[in-house]
């Protein structure tokens, strides 16, 4: 039951992201039925550098951690 609640909170937090941020997280971690992709694969898909994807991922994950911190 606890794990189910954790997943729900995380899904809601991811759903609240901006479209590009959500896409990056879904692709990176294989969410929403997508396959897991490397930062390089995502960068190539979106036409940006791998280092920029890395910076974005760190920023997005920090925001998600803050979002779910008090809920889990």
């Amino acid at each position: 039951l606890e794990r189910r609640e954790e997943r729900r909170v995380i899904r809601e937090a991811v759903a609240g992201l901006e479209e590009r941020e959500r896409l990056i997280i879904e692709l990176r971690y294989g969410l929403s039925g997508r396959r897991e992709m490397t930062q390089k694969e995502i960068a190539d898909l979106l036409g940006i550098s791998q280092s920029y994807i890395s910076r974005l991922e760190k920023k997005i994950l920090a925001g998600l951690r803050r979002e779910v911190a008090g809920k889990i």
Side-chain angles (χ1 to χ4, degrees):
L1 184 62
E2 186 175 313
R3 185 176 287 263
R4 190 179 316 154
E5 179 65 13
E6 289 172 351
R7 287 184 186 144
R8 183 191 64 75
V9 169
I10 292 168
R11 276 194 306 271
E12 286 179 4
V14 170
L17 294 172
E18 293 180 16
E19 185 177 346
R20 184 170 78 160
E21 293 177 342
R22 186 175 58 253
L23 177 63
I24 290 168
I25 294 301
E26 287 176 351
L27 293 173
R28 185 74 173 112
Y29 296 98
L31 305 175
S32 298
R34 299 175 184 272
R35 76 171 180 87
E36 271 185 45
M37 295 176 75
T38 65
Q39 289 179 346
K40 176 70 172 134
E41 290 172 322
I42 297 168
D44 291 345
L45 180 70
L46 299 180
I48 54 182
S49 72
Q50 183 272 326
S51 62
Y52 188 53
I53 289 291
S54 178
R55 288 191 303 273
L56 285 173
E57 182 182 352
K58 287 177 188 175
K59 176 185 147 277
I60 296 164
L61 290 176
L64 286 173
R65 281 187 197 99
R66 283 191 303 274
E67 174 78 20
V68 302
K71 298 177 183 177
I72 293 182

